[in-house]
């Protein structure tokens, strides 16, 4: 299980003043839309991309509704933990693990992004609130964040026709150090991911080389 104490590792970045630049839209060779955020001098690439084959379940569980399920259904995955941790190699085409400094900077930048999303006009959007997701991901896609050699992402593993999942930036930034420390620092693998296996909120959070 990814402990909430992993938040401490990257929360130190919250002590610095937030400098968030304008978002720059980009388009890669596959036609996948991405964005670049400059957060306190760190360039973070954010994009919504199709899930890579290494995260797709061999036998995707049924949503219980089949293909007729309304694709506009959105489940809030912020309420669920990510208890099943898998440390492995081969998540990236690069055989090396990501650098600890890059993953630490990425986690801190994501937590700063989460802090910047706290507003007075949307009272529900409190830092650390499971009731206030910051982004949504349709089935078969992954929201990725990368900085230097490090990439972390939230992948919606619900089957085709299943619910869209909404999630919280502070949970992505908080879980990434725990995945890195357990899988790269302790186990000696090049990456890892944790899974939520709740019906309707099937997802994975991964950390690997960008």
């Amino acid at each position: 299980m990814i402990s909430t104490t992993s938040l401490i590792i990257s929360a130190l970045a919250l002590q610095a003043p937030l400098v968030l630049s304008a978002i720059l839209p980009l388009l890669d060779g596959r036609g996948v839309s991405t964005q670049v955020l400059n957060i306190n001098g760190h360039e973070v690439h954010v994009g919504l991309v199709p899930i890579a084959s290494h995260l797709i379940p061999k036998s995707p569980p049924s949503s219980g509704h089949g293909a007729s399920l309304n694709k506009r259904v959105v489940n809030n995955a912020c309420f669920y933990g990510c208890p099943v941790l898998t440390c492995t190699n081969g998540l990236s085409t690069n055989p090396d693990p990501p650098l600890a400094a890059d993953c630490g900077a990425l986690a801190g930048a994501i937590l700063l992004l989460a802090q910047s999303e706290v507003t007075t006009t949307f009272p529900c959007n409190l830092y650390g609130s499971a009731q206030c997701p910051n982004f949504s991901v349709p089935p078969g896609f992954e929201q990725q964040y990368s900085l230097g050699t490090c990439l972390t992402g939230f992948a919606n593993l619900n089957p085709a026709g299943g619910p869209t999942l909404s999630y919280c930036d502070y949970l992505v930034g908080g879980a990434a150090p725990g995945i890195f420390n357990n899988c790269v620092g302790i186990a000696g693998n090049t990456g890892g991911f944790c899974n939520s296996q709740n019906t309707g909120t099937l997802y994975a959070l991964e950390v690997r080389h960008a």
Side-chain angles (χ1 to χ4, degrees), residues 12-32:
L12 294 176
L14 295 178
Q15 297 174 3
L18 175 63
V19 178
L20 181 63
S21 78
I23 296 174
L24 306 176
L26 299 177
L27 199 65
D28 69 10
R30 297 172 300 163
V32 177

Side-chain angles (χ1 to χ4, degrees), residues 47-109:
L48 186 65
V49 303
I51 291 178
S53 59
H54 63 263
L55 287 178
I56 299 175
K58 290 182 174 61
S59 300
S62 170
S63 64
H65 297 276
S68 62
L69 182 65
N70 188 337
K71 294 184 180 180
R72 290 176 295 179
V73 171
V74 179
N75 288 343
N76 184 352
C78 298
F79 287 106
Y80 299 94
C82 197
V84 183
L85 179 64
T86 300
C87 297
T88 185
N89 300 312
L91 295 182
S92 171
T93 55
N94 191 304
D96 298 322
L99 296 176
D102 287 346
C103 286
L106 177 59

